[in-house]
Amino acid sequence: YNNANNLLYTVDQGNRVLVWDVNDITLSEPAIAVFGQPNFVSNSTSLGAGGLNIPRAIIFNPINNNFYVADGNNRVTYYEFINITSTSMPDGTVGFNYNEPVSYTDSQGTVSFEVLSGTLPPGLAFSGTSITGIPTLQGTYNFTVRAVDTTAGFGVFYSDPVPLTITINLLPAGFDISPISGDTTELGNGTATFTMALTSPTLPGEDVTIALSSSDLTEGTVSPSSLTFTNGNWNVPQTVTVTGQDDPIA
């Protein structure tokens, strides 16, 4: 019995070992994995490493997360379980791509991950063996994962659950201003332009509006009167135009 994952391993006369998820036991509940056979309906004997011949006993080792099966081939077969080696995850930033692998060892087949409790940060999800996406909300997120190692003809191996944490931060608020281009000479109402963009994303639904004005309308005017940045355009430069004004004749 694997207490960490609530999995029960049993031997039967079908030359196989069956795995049962006993988190919630229901009547006629099917097994979730099989060892020693390529599927749940086969029952052939085998002398190979992937098969069994009348398994007689099984011992699970919770310390090293593996188990041993004694069968009629006068042998003991050894099954190594996958182990998660990641103990922490890097921080992320709202609005910026996040792509970090969860490390593991002793895999034998196709590896995937299950979130057993807690939640990933909004915007992130498992893609293969990595956590990827674009975070949308700051905060600290605690969750517990389990690796699933699926092997053809051998069965499904589960790692012990591992708690992980991802902290999502906001960049310090600020904006970038480009160098000015053009000349605001009074002759012919000359114009000059520059651009502005935020240095960090806004939260969804929380737009940032920057008001613009001239300190002396007799010398120059500014257009537009404000710039609005959203979660979708926070890093897109917006143009500001300054137009020079003729001095009044005394």
Side-chain angles (χ1 to χ4, degrees), residues 6-12 14-22 29-42 52 58 67 79 81 114 146-158:
N6 288 325
L7 299 176
L8 178 66
Y9 300 87
T10 63
V11 297
D12 73 1
N15 300 306
R16 62 188 181 177
V17 172
L18 295 174
V19 186
W20 310 83
D21 185 345
V22 293
E29 177 180 349
I32 63 172
V34 59
F35 292 90
Q37 299 295 334
N39 52 58
F40 285 103
V41 297
S42 299
L52 294 171
I58 180 172
F67 73 88
Y79 294 85
F81 284 74
E114 298 175 338
R146 177 174 70 178
V148 182
D149 186 10
T150 304
T151 62
F154 285 83
V156 179
F157 299 81
Y158 295 90

Side-chain angles (χ1 to χ4, degrees), residues 20 36-37 73 80-81 86 95 116 126 130 143 163 169 186 205 220 235:
W20 310 83
Q37 299 295 334
N73 290 329
E80 182 81 12
F81 284 74
S86 291
L116 299 181
F126 269 104
S130 295
F143 53 97
N169 303 304
E186 296 174 358
N235 59 348

Side-chain angles (χ1 to χ4, degrees), residues 175-178 194-198 210-212 227 229 233-240:
F175 49 85
D176 284 327
I177 301 178
S178 72
F194 62 91
T195 62
M196 296 182 64
L198 300 185
I210 300 176
L212 303 172
L227 302 176
F229 296 93
N233 74 346
W234 63 271
N235 59 348
V236 178
Q238 299 190 39
T239 300
V240 178

